[in-house]
Amino acid sequence: MTRPRTRPRNPALLIVAACVLTGSLTGCSVIGDMLPTPVRSVAPVPASALGEVTAVADLFVGDCLREVSEGLDVNARTVPRVPCGERHEFEVFARFPVPGDTFPGDNEVTAAAESGCGSLFEDFVLVEYTVSSLDFAYLTPTERSWVEADETGSPDGREVSCLLTDPAGAVTGTLAGAAR
């Protein structure tokens, strides 16, 4: 799998983002087991500080999310959403459907997420990904969420959520138009 990057990034943060948010959600594909173990340790966040628990399918562009190392059930399909005025590690910068009538498989979904999030990055941040100090991660549909979307008639279980993050750490406020 090739990332749309032309310069080195801080892989530890992307790995933590992928493993913590993506790996703990059945509504999202697990890419964490393809990556090395993160070197950064994250202190557990008390449940009372997580924020509003929101279904992955109910995320909107501009929603801000907390990173957690514990507290989410491995079968959960929710994430901790907080107001962007509070400290947070991720901001949803784009959502888009994975094309097709049947689940294309994890590799194809991951490729679609990499390509789609990479191409939509500049629209939100106002600077090209290759020159930005910011990074991204994503939440992708799984075969289970795809089937549930078919059963409910809702396309949300087929969408990728692109998450903007600052490798320097948590931020307060939106990164929309950050141009960095």
Side-chain angles (χ1 to χ4, degrees), residues 26-63:
T26 60
C28 303
S29 180
V30 177
I31 64 167
D33 52 345
M34 296 184 294
L35 302 170
T37 303
V39 294
R40 185 176 87 149
S41 65
V42 180
V45 177
S48 61
L50 293 180
E52 173 190 348
V53 177
T54 303
V56 171
D58 293 337
L59 291 175
F60 292 99
V61 171
D63 282 346

Side-chain angles (χ1 to χ4, degrees), residues 23-179:
S24 65
L25 306 172
T26 60
C28 303
S29 180
V30 177
I31 64 167
D33 52 345
M34 296 184 294
L35 302 170
T37 303
V39 294
R40 185 176 87 149
S41 65
V42 180
V45 177
S48 61
L50 293 180
E52 173 190 348
V53 177
T54 303
V56 171
D58 293 337
L59 291 175
F60 292 99
V61 171
D63 282 346
C64 294
L65 310 173
R66 287 251 167 90
E67 176 179 23
V68 295
S69 62
E70 295 179 14
L72 289 181
D73 182 287
V74 292
N75 294 317
R77 290 183 287 164
T78 60
V79 290
R81 183 173 63 184
V82 296
C84 291
E86 293 181 17
R87 289 179 55 80
H88 58 277
E89 288 74 22
F90 303 99
E91 182 172 355
V92 179
F93 72 89
R95 282 183 55 104
F96 62 90
V98 175
D101 293 329
T102 60
F103 182 71
D106 289 333
N107 290 339
E108 291 79 8
V109 168
T110 298
E114 287 283 334
S115 174
C117 292
S119 67
L120 295 168
F121 185 91
E122 185 175 1
D123 293 342
F124 192 82
V125 180
L126 302 182
V127 67
E128 235 181 86
Y129 175 69
T130 57
V131 298
S132 177
S133 64
L134 302 174
D135 209 344
F136 69 84
Y138 40 79
L139 303 173
T140 61
T142 63
E143 188 168 11
R144 178 179 171 188
S145 70
W146 199 281
V147 169
E148 288 174 358
D150 286 343
E151 291 170 356
T152 64
S154 170
D156 295 336
R158 295 180 174 190
E159 291 189 338
V160 171
S161 293
C162 303
L163 308 176
L164 188 61
T165 188
D166 187 341
V171 298
T172 301
T174 184
L175 290 171

